[in-house]
Amino acid sequence: MRRFKKILKWIGLIVLFLVTGITITVMSRQNMTYTRPYPDITASDDSTIIARGKSLVFGAAHCADCHSLSNADSLFEAGQEVPMGGGFVFDLPFGKIYAANISTDIETGIGKYTDKDIARALRYGVKPDGTIVYPFMPFNNMSDDDLKAIISYLKAQKPVRNKVPDHELNVMGNILKAFLIKPVGPEGTPEKSVQPDSSAAYGQYLASVVANCKGCHTERGPTGDFIGVPFSGASAMEEVGGSFIPPNLTTDPGSRIYTWTEQNFITRFRMGRLQKGSPMPWPSYKRMGDMELKAIYRFLKTLPPSKTKALKPQH
Ligand code: HEC
Ligand code: HEC
């Protein structure tokens, strides 16, 4: 019996050491910094470039959908230019993540960031102090010219004072951050310039790099890695307003757009959000031009047919 107690005591001590050790390791890895290069990008005050930036911010790149104040939704739906004061909260199993204030306010926004700081945050996923930008944005392979246009637009806007709360990670979030989540960077070298036109090639760029259609319409594993055939649909997304399934967009007969003509596709986007609470950023996409929508449609029609293979049962 005494021997048994002794063993228990030792096991207890070992567990205590392990837990303390793991806790210290996890906490010491919360503010890890990463070295990443600065893209050679500077803002411009050329009105054509700023206009291109604006069309991306409020359209395909849907920055406004995440970075505008939550009470701005109705204004935004009505087609207005809402300020980027931040505030959208992602309430996830590992914590609450707040979309930053990306207005030019010095204290609460990104007014202190240089053009290159912003470019690096979007392309390489690190903040000016080297800490991680969580991978919520798909712009790593955005062209130099489009990054320049977006930064030029942001820099030309008035500051909005709005203190966005700090992220609140729970224990699981801390562990994920310590060991699994790394800054996401570009695949290969991003293009200097991608010519906007109605081609499938431009559609591919929009659907994967700018508008993130791929990000939602492809099945992902538990750590966010793509595990399904791109654009073949994904498991239901649980939202406050209900459960929504990103449908298959390939050329499979089970695809949601199998029978849609190019004109049907454009008309559907002009209608905006039809299912209340759907997470798809319809108000932004509604503002895309016909050329952009044609390009996306033409690209989707080049995809091989693939059936949806969702992790969670589709209901
Ligand atoms: C799907 C939602 C979403 C979209 C769309 C989005 N963002 Fe973000 N963005 C976020 C979140 C969430 C964060 C906070 C990440 C973090 O702090 O780690 C963020 C952070 C940032 C940061 C870093 C801010 C900082 O604190 O250093 C910048 C810059 C930024 N976004 C710019 C943009 C621009 C420009 C666009 C459009 C081209 C855009 N975002 C589109 C969700 C989004
Ligand atoms: C944030 C996740 C998200 C993003 C990004 C996203 N979608 Fe969706 N999509 C959904 C969900 C969820 C639905 C189902 C609910 C609905 O129809 O609104 C959907 C529905 C659709 C539908 C069917 C609409 C209907 O009336 O049946 C089409 C077509 C579509 N998406 C295409 C796209 C394209 C093209 C893009 C990129 C420009 C895109 N989606 C980006 C999540 C997303």
Side-chain angles (χ1 to χ4, degrees), residues 56-57 61-67 88 90 97-102 110 113 118 121-122 127-128 132-134 136-139 142 150 154 167 212:
L56 289 168
V57 166
H62 62 289
C63 322
D65 196 79
C66 291
H67 286 285
F88 186 86
F90 289 87
I97 307 290
Y98 296 84
N101 177 339
I102 56 165
I110 56 170
Y113 289 26
I118 306 176
L122 295 174
K127 298 190 181 190
I132 187 172
V133 177
Y134 296 124
F136 282 84
M137 300 178 281
F139 313 121
M142 188 176 264
I150 286 173
L154 292 178
H167 305 316
N212 206 23

Side-chain angles (χ1 to χ4, degrees), residues 28-277:
S28 70
R29 292 173 69 91
Q30 290 306 298
N31 291 311
M32 281 200 294
T33 56
Y34 303 86
T35 312
R36 295 290 183 275
Y38 283 99
D40 185 18
I41 286 169
T42 40
S44 154
D45 52 14
D46 180 313
S47 60
T48 323
I49 295 180
I50 293 178
R52 165 78 181 155
K54 180 178 165 188
S55 78
L56 289 168
V57 166
F58 290 102
H62 62 289
C63 322
D65 196 79
C66 291
H67 286 285
S68 64
L69 304 167
S70 51
N71 62 3
D73 259 17
S74 49
L75 298 176
F76 181 48
E77 298 243 10
Q80 292 193 24
E81 209 175 307
V82 293
M84 303 290 153
F88 186 86
V89 192
F90 289 87
D91 199 347
L92 303 165
F94 53 85
K96 287 200 175 98
I97 307 290
Y98 296 84
N101 177 339
I102 56 165
S103 78
T104 47
D105 190 58
I106 302 278
E107 274 162 41
T108 64
I110 56 170
K112 278 201 195 115
Y113 289 26
T114 64
D115 304 339
K116 292 185 173 47
D117 284 338
I118 306 176
R120 188 174 74 152
L122 295 174
R123 183 166 287 172
Y124 292 100
V126 296
K127 298 190 181 190
D129 64 5
T131 57
I132 187 172
V133 177
Y134 296 124
F136 282 84
M137 300 178 281
F139 313 121
N140 313 92
N141 277 78
M142 188 176 264
S143 72
D144 289 359
D145 283 358
D146 284 346
L147 275 182
K148 182 188 179 91
I150 286 173
I151 296 168
S152 303
Y153 172 79
L154 292 178
K155 287 273 170 159
Q157 304 313 303
K158 292 202 192 72
V160 183
R161 177 134 311 180
N162 176 47
K163 173 92 184 77
V164 172
D166 292 335
H167 305 316
E168 300 152 37
L169 294 184
N170 56 27
V171 175
M172 192 162 97
N174 285 326
I175 294 174
L176 279 177
K177 186 173 185 190
F179 301 113
L180 282 177
I181 305 180
K182 295 254 146 49
V184 176
E187 275 167 36
T189 311
E191 303 278 347
K192 226 199 128 317
S193 186
V194 179
Q195 186 54 39
D197 55 25
S198 55
S199 68
Y202 187 58
Q204 168 162 34
Y205 172 70
L206 287 178
S208 307
V209 178
V210 181
N212 206 23
C213 321
K214 181 179 167 192
C216 286
H217 287 270
T218 306
E219 187 69 10
R220 292 179 190 252
T223 53
D225 296 348
F226 290 117
I227 55 171
V229 176
F231 302 96
S232 65
S235 294
M237 301 180 137
E238 308 304 333
E239 304 292 327
V240 183
S243 166
F244 302 89
I245 299 170
N248 189 340
L249 301 177
T250 70
T251 48
D252 184 75
S255 163
R256 175 71 182 128
I257 60 166
Y258 187 62
T259 58
W260 295 16
T261 62
E262 191 169 279
Q263 193 50 51
N264 291 152
F265 189 78
I266 294 174
T267 308
R268 172 64 192 90
F269 275 81
R270 293 279 164 263
M271 292 159 114
R273 187 177 279 120
L274 297 181
Q275 292 190 44
K276 203 166 168 284

